[in-house]
Amino acid sequence: MATIASARSTAHDQTNAAAGADGDNRPADATTTPVSESVQAARDYADGALRTAADVPEIRQTTARTLTHTGIIGGGTMGAGIAVAMLDAGLRVVMVEQDEAALARGRARVEAVYDRLIVRDRMTLAEKKDRMSHFNGATAYAALSDADLIVEAVFEDLSVKAEVFKQIDRFAKPGAILATNTSYLDIDRIAQATGRPGDVLGLHFFSPANIMKLLEVVVAAQTSPTAVATGFALAKRLRKTPVRAGVCDGFIGNRILAAYRHAADLMMEDGASPYDIDDAVRAFGYPMGPYQVVDLAGGDIGWATRKRRAATRDPQARYVEIADRLCEQGWFGQKTGRGFYRYVEGARTGTPDPEVLAIVDAERQRAGVVPKPFTAEEIMRRYMAAMINEAANVLHERIALRPSDVDAVFLAGYGFPRDRGGPLFYADTVGVQQVLADIESFADEDPRFWRASPLLLALAQRDATFASLNTPSR
Ligand code: NAI
């Protein structure tokens, strides 16, 4: 259903898209197959977490602004997907691009979504015409003057975004909500490029934006309650799952993802093959393992991000270079026929590659690691401990309002198995004390990475659960 083959951005974003598969949180058999009480409890909790996430203090303090006209800046992967989401919800869209050629490409991307639906008999030509009659394109910011809400989806570069927001500030009408779809950049700094930071917030869509359910509504230091309430009202209109997030590198989802991906890379260097890790993650209930996701999304994108961040990386921290070695060979995953897996003639399912295993082996030797075996259970213990620990940090720093919001993010955007409730629901089923004991034992080998979150320590000390922190809202 959802294809992300054309997606281009950070590896993390694409990981979300792929792992989320089609953005639908409910397995088809949810209502028909009898399940155990514990699975039913996890599903009920998951459904509740997804609902509760839409309840935030701001929507009770103020009313959302009315939305009919939207502006979208950038017609790339995300801009086009967001445009489709808006059009499908009956909103008008003006897309602003750098020049006529880029605008034509942006419009073509929007039309391509509808053309695919027509081919599959899920839309008529007349319906497409109707949707497109609400779409306009422009190469000048003046075209945004009617927009009630503007979403910026240009390149992930702070100076480019700051310049765009300066222009938006000149042309947007007073009271327009100004949103950025940035994945990682500091929204406070983006807001400062305008004279109206109260109207600025993050609306972090996931790829493909017209399909994926998750929408992180990122609240910056000066974002007004009205802007937040409008973000939530938009999500409702788009039939998405909004989750309130604070500003930090990666917000809720991508920040936590970075931690457990790192744990996976460490295990790969320490002795688990990428195939062992993917198998374990799938057996846990995910639709795909992390290295399958890299191959689907394109390894080159994560490689570019790693190169960009090399200068600011902690030189003392372990850095696993295996993925870089594959990229140096031009093995970017499905699109190049090779990545962590081999793909014969455009196949979407890969087969394990002995040459990859040889590279993994060489990297272990280079790093001076004596490989040791990992069982699937050991793999998941580390994978989940890293996820839970970083989730606890996110809560501790108030980036997420409540544990169930973290769970909602992973259920709606990262393919977390609904039958396990969410990462923090799962943490409670394992037991906070046990998770902490695991982290402390892993810290014996790598104390720099495995540092228990202050919140995890506090919960363990009081013998409390993450669920005890779940209130409907603050
Ligand atoms: P992209 O490279 O596909 O598209 C960016 C578009 O912005 C291009 O068409 C470019 O011509 C246009 N553009 C650049 N400067 C512009 C300007 N000054 N005025 C108007 N248009 C301009 O990038 P993509 O993947 O769509 O990403 C856009 C943003 O969305 C980035 O901030 C990215 O981090 C974020 N994002 C990406 C996700 C993904 O999976 N691709 C997921 C979530 C967020």
Side-chain angles (χ1 to χ4, degrees):
M1 179 166 155
T3 108
I4 66 151
S6 60
R8 290 176 49 237
S9 183
T10 66
H12 287 171
D13 283 316
Q14 300 209 354
T15 306
N16 309 330
D22 60 5
D24 184 350
N25 311 304
R26 290 157 192 265
D29 66 350
T31 50
T32 50
T33 315
V35 293
S36 71
E37 264 176 48
S38 60
V39 167
Q40 194 55 52
R43 287 180 182 175
D44 291 345
Y45 168 87
D47 295 347
L50 293 165
R51 270 195 311 272
T52 305
D55 182 17
V56 294
E58 288 87 350
I59 59 172
R60 270 175 272 120
Q61 282 168 28
T62 179
T63 43
R65 294 205 181 126
T66 309
L67 302 177
T68 52
H69 288 66
T70 66
I72 295 171
I73 309 180
T77 304
M78 293 308 291
I82 296 166
V84 171
M86 302 289 197
L87 293 169
D88 287 352
L91 293 158
R92 303 192 73 86
V93 170
V94 176
M95 175 183 280
V96 174
E97 257 290 357
Q98 309 196 79
D99 51 46
E100 289 296 340
L103 181 60
R105 286 194 298 273
R107 187 188 171 100
R109 283 188 191 101
V110 172
E111 293 208 42
V113 173
Y114 292 136
D115 290 341
R116 279 195 296 273
L117 292 176
I118 291 172
V119 167
R120 281 148 54 194
D121 270 342
R122 290 177 50 195
M123 181 177 254
T124 64
L125 205 57
E127 283 165 343
K128 175 188 167 191
K129 233 174 134 186
D130 180 54
R131 300 280 161 93
M132 292 308 293
S133 72
H134 295 119
F135 177 92
N136 283 296
T139 54
Y141 285 78
L144 296 170
S145 60
D146 282 339
D148 307 304
L149 176 136
I150 296 168
V151 183
E152 166 278 312
V154 305
F155 303 133
E156 185 76 343
D157 179 312
L158 187 61
S159 57
V160 174
K161 290 196 193 278
E163 183 51 36
V164 166
F165 271 78
K166 244 193 226 166
Q167 294 301 321
I168 296 175
D169 198 22
R170 284 182 59 203
F171 293 99
K173 67 183 182 188
I177 303 295
L178 316 181
T180 172
N181 184 46
T182 182
S183 311
Y184 296 96
L185 300 175
D186 184 346
I187 299 176
D188 288 316
R189 291 181 64 188
I190 294 173
Q192 289 314 320
T194 73
R196 36 177 140 171
D199 293 329
V200 177
L201 82 169
L203 288 178
H204 186 211
F205 289 83
F206 288 71
S207 180
N210 56 313
I211 304 281
M212 290 295 290
K213 290 284 176 216
L214 180 60
L215 179 66
E216 285 183 319
V217 179
V218 189
V219 182
Q222 295 189 57
T223 306
S224 69
T226 306
V228 178
T230 309
F232 276 78
L234 174 73
K236 194 170 178 187
R237 181 124 183 221
L238 304 184
R239 301 170 69 185
K240 297 208 179 285
T241 300
V243 180
R244 189 189 189 284
V247 173
C248 69
D249 192 353
F251 315 127
I252 299 175
N254 284 346
R255 171 167 164 182
I256 296 170
L257 170 72
Y260 64 84
R261 267 299 312 275
H262 187 63
D265 285 350
L266 293 177
M267 286 189 275
M268 181 162 59
E269 193 168 73
D270 286 342
S273 79
Y275 316 122
D276 295 336
I277 295 169
D278 281 350
D279 284 350
V281 169
R282 272 199 318 274
F284 183 82
Y286 273 89
M288 298 174 85
Y291 299 107
Q292 290 177 293
V293 173
V294 171
D295 275 5
L296 176 59
D300 49 331
I301 295 145
W303 192 29
T305 309
R306 292 194 296 276
K307 283 193 271 197
R308 214 170 36 237
R309 294 182 167 196
T312 52
R313 197 176 290 134
D314 174 1
Q316 303 293 316
R318 266 180 79 186
Y319 176 70
V320 177
E321 295 183 29
I322 295 166
D324 295 349
R325 292 292 96 78
L326 303 190
C327 289
E328 285 157 12
Q329 306 278 335
W331 298 350
F332 298 146
Q334 289 193 19
K335 63 184 173 188
T336 57
R338 291 184 85 159
F340 281 96
Y341 295 81
R342 261 176 190 269
Y343 300 86
V344 278
E345 284 188 35
R348 298 185 65 183
T349 314
T351 48
D353 184 347
E355 284 184 56
V356 168
L357 292 177
I359 289 173
V360 172
D361 229 27
E363 281 302 302
R364 288 172 183 155
Q365 282 181 29
R366 192 191 54 76
V369 170
V370 181
K372 58 172 190 243
F374 284 84
T375 64
E377 199 224 323
E378 283 164 344
I379 289 168
M380 288 318 293
R381 259 184 130 110
R382 284 169 194 252
Y383 201 72
M384 290 308 301
M387 195 183 302
I388 294 162
N389 196 49
E390 195 60 14
N393 284 330
V394 158
L395 283 169
H396 184 64
E397 293 169 26
R398 301 228 166 254
I399 300 299
L401 283 183
R402 52 207 159 203
S404 62
D405 279 6
V406 174
D407 289 336
V409 164
F410 282 88
L411 290 160
Y414 293 76
F416 192 92
R418 178 170 166 259
D419 286 359
R420 296 196 186 261
L424 296 177
F425 179 89
Y426 175 78
D428 282 347
T429 63
V430 172
V432 166
Q433 311 264 9
Q434 181 60 54
V435 175
L436 180 61
D438 283 349
I439 290 170
E440 284 171 346
S441 76
F442 306 149
D444 290 343
E445 301 153 23
D446 186 350
R448 192 166 281 270
F449 177 65
W450 293 103
R451 271 191 287 217
S453 161
L455 180 66
L456 196 69
L457 286 165
L459 288 177
Q461 207 165 32
R462 313 202 297 268
D463 201 14
T465 58
F466 280 104
S468 69
L469 307 175
N470 271 332
T471 50
S473 76
R474 264 195 320 189

